[in-house]
Amino acid sequence: MRRWILLAVLTAAATHLLELLDVDAAALFAALVVAGMLAIAGFAPPLRRSRDTTDDDPEDTDPPAIPRPIMHTAQGVLGVFIGTMAEPETLSGLGSSWFPVLVIGLGTLALSVAGGAMLGLHRLVDPLTGSLALAAGGASGLVALTREFGGDERMVAVIQYLRVALVTITIPLVASLVFDAQSTAVHEAPPSATDQGWGLVLLAVCLGIGIPVGRLVRLPAAGLLGPMALATVAELTGLAGDAAVSTILLTVAYAIIGWQAGLGFTMDRLRAIGRVLPAALVLILAIGVGCALLGVLLSVWTGESMFDCYLATTPGGIYAVLAAATAAGGNVAFVVAAQILRVLLMLFVAPFAARAAARRLAS
């Protein structure tokens, strides 16, 4: 019990620090780092061993696992939160440009899968893990579902957060140096108590129906994708109303997902990830350049400004994107709607595309 208390206290402190620095999904990143450090130091809480992992590392074939019901609940909370992002008012900002944005989003998906396949050529990375690690969006969701798809969630978590960090850093630099625009911090107001109350009802319905139905139809990562699909439909049809996921519940869910990945770290695994990072960094930068070129194509196709289309196609860092668009007086509705559509594509389509590509390369 003392080790669990130590893990929780250190995670809470690290989360607070990262939130002061405006890090996206701060609790997940904090939990990942803290749990990893404690696991390597030998102070991690004892956990049962999983029996369904497909990690190919002969020295680490059975990483510790958070109990499945707890993990599925955390995934479901995150899934509902992502689903509620698909507000009709926001997506309507695309207007008649929805088709070009969808096509460009699929282009971003293709870039991600191709980059993942190249990363999968590294002897320490399988193609599935490579594709999930380089999927351009939905970092927290991808980390949450990686294990159930058969990938290495530790590798995916580290590379995904490297991508998020690079994108977040480069957006204000590109905005200032290339487009002569300035960025300012954007902070969203927390949801009201009433909205969070309705959010609990939405959570109960989506988890109570989405997870069992997802299992029934053999949906991979049913804990995340089942509730996310229901929440997305409820939001788009207006059934969700103003329901919002509780900030506290979301923070706890992020922490549990981060612990799941972090507690599986060992020195050997950390060294292996370190050897992969140079190749991953090159591919992240290449995908970023490819997305910028897709932004040029989107601008020509839709007539939107080059700056707005650059922000719309940036592979991540949605809060940094919102800050840049707002400060520059850009088409915020268009940019945010395109970003949300990209995230939904990455979470609903990228895992299946990655697995199909991995099977094709293995055959």
Side-chain angles (χ1 to χ4, degrees), residues 16-32:
H16 179 66
L17 177 61
L18 292 178
E19 286 177 343
L20 293 177
L21 299 174
D22 292 322
V23 174
D24 292 346
L28 194 155
F29 187 54
L32 171 72

Side-chain angles (χ1 to χ4, degrees), residues 96-185:
S96 60
S97 298
W98 69 267
F99 183 69
V101 171
L102 177 62
V103 171
I104 295 300
L106 291 173
T108 303
L109 174 63
L111 280 177
S112 300
V113 173
M118 294 181 66
L119 185 61
L121 297 176
H122 195 291
R123 64 183 181 85
L124 296 175
V125 186
D126 62 90
L128 175 65
T129 296
S131 294
L132 293 176
L134 291 178
S140 55
L142 289 166
V143 173
L145 58 75
T146 293
R147 172 176 291 208
E148 294 187 51
F149 269 82
D152 182 348
E153 61 198 340
R154 293 152 293 180
M155 185 79 72
V156 170
V158 172
I159 295 175
Q160 278 288 337
Y161 274 91
L162 175 62
R163 173 186 63 80
V164 171
L166 286 173
V167 170
T168 302
I169 291 170
T170 57
I171 286 174
L173 292 176
V174 173
S176 176
L177 298 177
V178 177
F179 297 101
D180 195 26
Q182 301 298 319
S183 296
T184 56

Side-chain angles (χ1 to χ4, degrees), residues 285-303:
L285 294 175
I287 291 172
V289 172
C291 289
L293 294 176
L294 288 175
V296 174
L297 176 59
L298 182 62
S299 178
V300 173
W301 195 346
T302 63

